[in-house]
Amino acid sequence: MAEQPPVVDAAVGILPYPDGSILMAQRPEGKVFAGYWEFPGGKIETGETPQQALERELQEELGITVLSALPWCCMVHTYPHAKVRLHCFIVNRWSGNPSSRENQNLQWQDHVTVSPLLPTAIPLCRWFQDWQQS
């Protein structure tokens, strides 16, 4: 029987701007799936809750402080190198202006047109647009 890839827990934030756009980040060179677009966030460290990881990752990646984030959904996706359990939050309040702190490109998207999207970002974009319209 083939060995299963390790499970990696990660937290990501969907940051909606008042105009309805959302922030997308492009994975920098040197990372798995470099050049793919995703929602900002990252791995949950030992001893962290998903919320704590989200707050730490968004501070490290974007230089913002999360003031309010609502747990939204959790999904699992198996990549060749790992099985990722993604804890997704809607970050509805933050302080600071998101800026690239890890050499990643950032774009506000009202209809997500950046490409290629990380496989986990594809359903999240659809679900979020449906959620916004309901």
Side-chain angles (χ1 to χ4, degrees), residues 60-75:
E60 291 173 2
E61 285 184 26
L62 305 175
I64 64 170
T65 300
V66 174
L67 301 175
S68 177
L70 304 171
W72 183 48
C73 67
C74 187
M75 64 181 292

Side-chain angles (χ1 to χ4, degrees), residues 1 15 17 21 43 46 49 51 67 83 88 115-116 123:
M1 182 181 243
L15 284 76
Y17 203 68
S21 61
K43 290 181 187 173
T46 303
T49 66
Q51 176 91 28
L67 301 175
K83 182 182 239 181
C88 307
S115 182

Side-chain angles (χ1 to χ4, degrees), residues 58-102:
L58 296 187
Q59 179 64 49
E60 291 173 2
E61 285 184 26
L62 305 175
I64 64 170
T65 300
V66 174
L67 301 175
S68 177
L70 304 171
W72 183 48
C73 67
C74 187
M75 64 181 292
V76 176
H77 184 83
T78 303
Y79 290 97
H81 67 287
K83 182 182 239 181
V84 177
R85 184 172 29 238
L86 201 58
H87 303 264
C88 307
F89 292 82
I90 305 293
V91 182
N92 51 8
R93 288 185 50 232
W94 64 87
S95 66
N97 292 318
S99 61
S100 174
R101 292 242 174 131
E102 295 183 347

Side-chain angles (χ1 to χ4, degrees), residues 98-115:
S99 61
S100 174
R101 292 242 174 131
E102 295 183 347
N103 295 320
Q104 76 275 42
N105 291 320
L106 301 174
Q107 283 194 16
W108 290 99
Q109 298 272 292
D110 56 355
H111 292 86
V112 178
T113 58
V114 290
S115 182

